[in-house]
Amino acid sequence: MSKNKGHMGKRRDVAMILLGIFIEDIQMYCLRNPQINITKLIEDIVRGPTGNTYLKGRTLWCAATCSESLIFPDEQTLKLKSFILDMAIESLKNHKLNSIKLVACRTLVKYARKMKKEALLENAHKFEGILDTLLELLDLANKEVMHLPIEAF
């Protein structure tokens, strides 16, 4: 293994790509082998450092892709979903690049749609701060990605 610090980001990127592409196969393997915790696997990959813009976008993409696999209603899964939701909202509010904001929209929609009404009401204050950003994105988006900010409303 390389000890070069620059390679750590590359390894995280490859891990997220592989997880996102093969998530259904990984989920089936984990269901057949209950000793393997898919939530822990996703958490270990998604919670890593996102120092650069590229890794931030990849992390949001990976989180959105893995949303269907976080099916267990245990505390660890709920905390991970909350972390991902917060990461998507923070990216929408604070990131300068519209491409990251669009991926954050996709991630937000994937997780917010699965939340129960009580959880949505608890997190309402988080959603209030992104409405202006969604309107800005809607103005700037082209036809291919216009649906992302609309779905997030």
Side-chain angles (χ1 to χ4, degrees):
M1 277 236 234
S2 173
K3 292 186 180 187
N4 185 337
K5 292 187 186 239
H7 292 191
M8 183 57 84
K10 291 176 183 175
R11 283 188 286 216
R12 277 202 69 236
D13 184 35
V14 170
M16 287 186 280
I17 290 170
L18 292 174
L19 181 62
I21 291 172
F22 296 109
I23 189 62
E24 291 176 2
D25 297 324
I26 293 169
Q27 182 179 8
M28 290 306 298
Y29 182 81
C30 290
L31 288 173
R32 290 186 194 119
N33 299 284
Q35 72 275 14
I36 299 173
N37 185 343
I38 193 166
T39 301
K40 177 77 170 119
L41 174 69
I42 295 169
E43 181 176 26
D44 288 346
I45 293 174
V46 171
R47 279 192 184 258
T50 55
N52 65 41
T53 302
Y54 182 79
L55 281 178
K56 178 66 121 181
R58 180 70 72 200
T59 302
L60 289 164
W61 170 83
C62 183
T65 305
C66 294
S67 66
E68 299 293 325
S69 298
L70 295 172
I71 55 176
F72 300 108
D74 61 353
E75 186 176 340
Q76 181 184 21
T77 304
L78 295 175
K79 283 183 180 180
L80 179 58
K81 286 180 177 181
S82 178
F83 170 79
I84 292 169
L85 193 66
D86 290 344
M87 179 175 54
I89 291 170
E90 182 267 327
S91 296
L92 269 170
K93 286 181 180 179
N94 300 323
H95 217 284
K96 293 179 176 87
L97 291 177
N98 290 332
S99 57
I100 300 295
K101 290 180 180 185
L102 289 169
V103 177
C105 279
R106 181 174 182 251
T107 305
L108 179 68
V109 168
K110 290 271 190 173
Y111 285 89
R113 282 188 175 169
K114 292 177 180 69
M115 292 176 77
K116 294 182 179 177
K117 185 178 180 180
E118 298 82 28
L120 281 171
L121 292 174
E122 279 179 30
N123 290 297
H125 64 282
K126 295 178 185 178
F127 295 111
E128 290 172 1
I130 61 170
L131 294 177
D132 289 336
T133 304
L134 292 173
L135 287 172
E136 288 173 21
L137 272 176
L138 193 55
D139 285 341
L140 298 171
N142 59 26
K143 292 177 188 177
E144 287 81 24
V145 294
M146 188 180 286
H147 67 280
L148 292 170
I150 291 172
E151 288 175 357
F153 274 107

